Amino acid sequence: TPHSIKFLQMVLKTLSDLKGIVAGGPRKKLIVAAAQDQHSLGAVIRAWQDSIVEPILVGDQENIRNICAANNYNIDGLTIINEPDTEAAVQTSVKMVSNRQGDILMKGKVGTSSLLKSVLNKEWGLRTGNLLSHFALFEVETYPKVIAVTDVAMNIAPNLQDKIAIINNSVSCLIKLGYRMPKVAVLGAVEMVNENMEATLDAALLSKMNQRDQIKNCIIDGPLAFDNAVSYESAQHKGIRSEVAGDTDLLLMPDIEVGNVLYKSLVFFAKAKVASVILGARVPIVLTSRSDSEQAKYDSILLSAAASK
Ligand code: COD
């Protein structure tokens, strides 16, 4: 598009482009909390063999060794800190990152809320004063580039201030991935401001704040409905004049239900590939869920390595 040419926009076409961004850089120290999980171990060991991370596995050593033996993972030379108790393994992992012994934190066989509670611990957690938010990248056949989506997993019902923080976290990450002035679509059910739909009011405010440079380093437009956010044709059909419509890099979700359902429909119905990370803490956090594939966990490690630059 003319706009992209103006800013020499660099975009990711596929998730495998992430490897080009992190390969050859310094290895990141990856702390895995409760590492006794097969898919997590498979992904971590692959990223280790690719020289992208230096893992430190915290968890049930016997269990970790058994899983690796059963799957022919060669872990000679890998650091394991034996901590069979899950809660203690999480605490140890978070404290190691607090003490600057880790560049990335990853969730193993432990519940999401248990890890997040440790991360948010006021004495030894990983707070920075920023809002923490979830950032996901999807590769889907029907869109010509990777599309980022936030927040589909952490912030339940973000208010305007939270949405600004979520955009800022995401835009900083996109810039680390090589983007300049990423295009942000603030989603609603419709593209007109409707005073009964709060998402459309927030979207209009965010767009104006962006025009006035209160939110920088990106181009925000909204409200946009999903179709005109991702399709020029739909936008033209509706007569929408927008730099973002049809060329979105980042979709901002109104709340966790919309976000999570979109996430899962992309993966289950559209067979999208996904990588995700929690941003805004002292370090990026890989917090994939049990339903994510080993490939998704691997791609999420690459994304986190890029985000930790
Ligand atoms: N960023 C920074 N600080 C936060 C955040 C955040 N996103 N959320 C809470 N805090 C801080 C608060 O300021 C407070 O000091 C403390 O943490 C506790 O806050 P609560 O009581 O509002 O939070 P919790 O502990 O009840 O819940 C925090 C969760 C992140 C666990 C909660 O928001 C949550 O359950 N989110 C949804 C997670 C989920 O179920 N995802 C499903 C898809 S995988």
Side-chain angles (χ1 to χ4, degrees), residues 11 17 37 70 90 102 119 167 169 174 199 209 218 223 226 248 296:
V11 300
D17 292 347
D37 172 70
V90 169
V119 165
I167 291 174
N169 280 346
L174 286 167
M209 292 175 83
C218 58
F226 186 83
T248 299

Side-chain angles (χ1 to χ4, degrees), residues 112-114 116-117 120-122 127-134 151-157 162 166 169 256 260 263-264 278-280 287-289:
T112 299
S113 67
S114 153
L116 285 178
K117 285 205 162 97
L120 292 171
N121 183 286
K122 285 199 169 112
R127 289 164 176 259
T128 59
N130 287 337
L131 190 77
L132 271 60
S133 62
H134 185 273
D151 179 328
V152 305
M154 184 159 187
N155 290 285
I156 296 170
D162 297 337
I166 292 170
N169 280 346
I256 196 169
N260 206 262
Y263 177 158
K264 282 166 187 166
I278 299 276
L279 302 169
L287 215 164
T288 51
S289 64

Side-chain angles (χ1 to χ4, degrees), residues 171-192:
V171 168
S172 303
C173 182
L174 286 167
I175 288 172
K176 285 178 184 161
L177 297 176
Y179 286 70
R180 282 191 68 195
M181 301 300 278
K183 298 180 180 183
V184 183
V186 184
L187 286 187
V190 290
E191 55 282 343
M192 296 298 171

Side-chain angles (χ1 to χ4, degrees), residues 5-306:
I5 292 162
K6 193 162 86 199
F7 285 103
L8 287 171
Q9 179 79 287
M10 214 298 282
V11 300
L12 298 183
K13 295 267 187 245
T14 66
L15 290 183
S16 54
D17 292 347
L18 287 169
K19 202 162 177 185
I21 294 171
V22 292
R27 280 180 189 258
K28 303 288 169 153
K29 289 203 194 77
L30 173 71
I31 315 262
V32 189
Q36 57 276 12
D37 172 70
Q38 194 216 314
H39 285 154
S40 302
L41 282 169
V44 167
I45 287 160
R46 208 175 128 201
W48 177 48
Q49 286 165 348
D50 289 345
S51 304
I52 289 155
V53 295
E54 189 58 50
I56 299 170
L57 308 178
V58 184
D60 185 333
Q61 173 157 254
E62 195 189 331
N63 207 336
I64 292 170
R65 290 198 182 284
N66 288 341
I67 293 169
C68 291
N71 291 282
N72 286 319
Y73 300 149
N74 182 358
I75 52 167
D76 291 345
L78 205 64
T79 308
I80 302 178
I81 296 175
N82 186 28
E83 187 44 88
D85 180 74
T86 302
E87 281 306 311
V90 169
Q91 271 205 33
T92 301
S93 304
V94 171
K95 285 178 178 167
M96 284 179 75
V97 174
S98 262
N99 298 331
R100 305 190 185 281
Q101 290 167 273
D103 303 310
I104 304 168
L105 177 67
M106 178 165 173
K107 177 178 94 93
K109 206 177 176 61
V110 52
T112 299
S113 67
S114 153
L115 187 81
L116 285 178
K117 285 205 162 97
S118 271
V119 165
L120 292 171
N121 183 286
K122 285 199 169 112
E123 283 140 51
W124 43 263
L126 307 177
R127 289 164 176 259
T128 59
N130 287 337
L131 190 77
L132 271 60
S133 62
H134 185 273
F135 173 86
L137 286 179
F138 292 89
E139 175 188 332
V140 54
E141 248 177 45
T142 42
Y143 199 62
K145 57 184 174 181
V146 160
I147 190 159
V149 186
T150 189
D151 179 328
V152 305
M154 184 159 187
N155 290 285
I156 296 170
N159 62 23
L160 182 69
Q161 217 54 45
D162 297 337
K163 288 175 183 175
I164 295 168
I166 292 170
I167 291 174
N168 284 331
N169 280 346
S170 306
V171 168
S172 303
C173 182
L174 286 167
I175 288 172
K176 285 178 184 161
L177 297 176
Y179 286 70
R180 282 191 68 195
M181 301 300 278
K183 298 180 180 183
V184 183
V186 184
L187 286 187
V190 290
E191 55 282 343
M192 296 298 171
V193 175
N194 178 328
E195 65 189 54
N196 296 317
M197 299 185 192
E198 209 182 313
T200 68
L201 298 175
D202 283 355
L205 290 170
L206 291 164
S207 306
K208 184 53 76 180
M209 292 175 83
N210 176 244
Q211 280 180 11
R212 292 285 183 271
D213 250 356
Q214 288 174 275
I215 307 170
K216 295 189 195 352
N217 303 321
C218 58
I219 304 166
I220 303 178
D221 198 12
L224 290 171
F226 186 83
D227 55 337
N228 37 67
V230 300
S231 154
Y232 280 121
E233 244 177 38
S234 296
Q236 271 173 348
H237 190 71
K238 291 252 169 81
I240 298 168
R241 278 178 286 113
S242 164
E243 282 188 274
V244 174
D247 194 28
T248 299
D249 295 305
L250 172 69
L251 290 167
L252 181 77
M253 295 294 131
D255 62 34
I256 196 169
E257 279 83 16
V258 176
N260 206 262
V261 172
L262 175 63
Y263 177 158
K264 282 166 187 166
S265 32
L266 284 171
V267 170
F268 284 87
F269 279 178
K271 301 292 169 210
K273 284 183 166 180
V274 60
S276 67
V277 59
I278 299 276
L279 302 169
R282 188 86 69 78
V283 299
I285 304 168
V286 183
L287 215 164
T288 51
S289 64
R290 264 162 295 180
S291 62
D292 285 313
S293 64
E294 188 177 307
Q295 182 67 39
K297 290 184 187 343
Y298 173 81
D299 288 333
S300 299
I301 294 171
L302 298 195
L303 171 59
S304 302

